[in-house]
Every structure is written in C-alpha cells, then in structure tokens.
C-alpha cells in the first residue's frame, strides 16, 4: 500500500470519534446534554491508530512478516524448479558429428519427484562427459 493511502485512511478513521469525544459542543449534545467528552479516550484512540499505522508502514518497508520471530516462521519455499532430467535432450546415439534434429531427441517419462534432482545431476554430468570425449 502506498504511504499516502495509509496516512489518509488513518486520519479519516480518526476524525469522527475525535469529533464526538473531544469537541465539547458537538451535535450529540443536542440529543443528550450529558454526553461525555473524554480526552483520555481520544489519546488512547490516537495511540492505537498510530500503532496500526506504524505496523503497516513497517510491513511495507521490511516485509509482511517482519514482527514475527524467526523460530515461528515456516521454512522458505524455493519456487524455482529444476528442469527434470527426462526433459533434457539426450545426445544423438550415432557417433557422427552431425547436429541432432528434434526427431533425434529422445524423451523419457518424468521421474518420481524425489528422484528429479539426482536424475538431473546424473544426466547433466553424463552429457558433459560424453561431450568431452
């Protein structure tokens, strides 16, 4: 959220309660002449809104979980997925130095998720070894 929005919403939320509890001759005195004006309530309200505003500004600056201790946070998930070894192209089986066309590339079914990383590393190392020979 933009800082102007946070400050503007905090101010507009405070206007009506501050008017009711801080202004001695507000319109509620016409209805009930004993309606209290309470400056302590106004101070508590202002402190509460300032606290909420500070938390929102802190979240926009440091991230949404900045106030939560690290021990309570779940481990961060890595959304980048490696390319499965089955999707990596195999070198052509013939020993000629011709480039492989799309019909020469063989694909295997996808391995089990637990085997993906190992299969990928083996396929890359094997491919690099064959290229060096």
């Amino acid at each position: 959220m933009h800082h102007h929005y946070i400050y503007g919403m905090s101010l507009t939320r405070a206007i009506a309660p501050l008017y009711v509890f801080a202004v001695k001759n507000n319109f509620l005195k016409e209805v009930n002449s004993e309606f209290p004006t309470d400056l302590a309530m106004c101070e508590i309200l202002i402190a509460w809104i300032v606290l909420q505003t500070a938390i929102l500004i802190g979240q926009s600056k440091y991230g949404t979980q900045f106030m939560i201790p690290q021990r309570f946070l779940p481990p961060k998930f890595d959304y980048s997925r490696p390319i499965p070894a089955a999707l990596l192209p195999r070198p052509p089986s013939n020993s000629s130095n011709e480039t492989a066309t799309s019909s020469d590339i063989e694909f295997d079914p996808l391995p089990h998720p637990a085997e993906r990383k190992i299969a990928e590393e083996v396929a890359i190392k094997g491919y690099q070894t064959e290229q060096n020979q």
Side-chain angles (χ1 to χ4, degrees):
M1 286 188 278
H2 198 273
H3 295 295
H4 294 285
Y5 175 78
I6 295 172
Y7 295 136
M9 286 303 298
S10 299
L11 181 66
T12 56
R13 284 187 313 155
I15 289 175
L18 289 178
Y19 173 78
V20 170
F21 288 110
V23 176
K24 292 185 182 196
N25 293 325
N26 63 36
F27 69 92
L28 292 175
K29 295 287 184 173
E30 297 293 327
V31 178
N32 183 3
S33 61
E34 295 179 12
F35 191 82
T37 56
D38 190 3
L39 294 180
M41 177 66 79
C42 294
E43 292 171 356
I44 292 170
L45 177 67
I46 290 172
W48 179 249
I49 291 175
V50 166
L51 175 69
Q52 289 178 335
T53 304
I55 290 172
L56 287 173
I57 297 296
Q59 285 179 336
S60 69
K61 186 173 183 180
Y62 300 112
T64 55
Q65 299 177 342
F66 85 102
M67 291 183 61
I68 302 173
Q70 188 66 32
R71 66 176 180 248
F72 296 127
L73 293 175
K76 291 187 177 180
F77 184 76
D78 183 15
Y79 287 95
S80 61
R81 295 174 46 185
I83 300 173
L87 295 179
L88 293 174
R90 291 184 181 174
S93 58
N94 58 5
S95 61
S96 65
N97 289 337
E98 298 175 12
T99 59
T101 61
S102 62
S103 61
D104 294 337
I105 298 174
E106 300 173 12
F107 292 98
D108 289 335
L110 293 175
H112 188 271
E115 300 171 351
R116 280 189 185 157
K117 187 169 186 172
I118 296 170
E120 178 187 62
E121 291 172 0
V122 170
I124 291 173
K125 288 179 183 176
Y127 184 74
Q128 290 172 348
T129 305
E130 289 178 8
Q131 291 296 324
N132 293 337
Q133 292 177 357

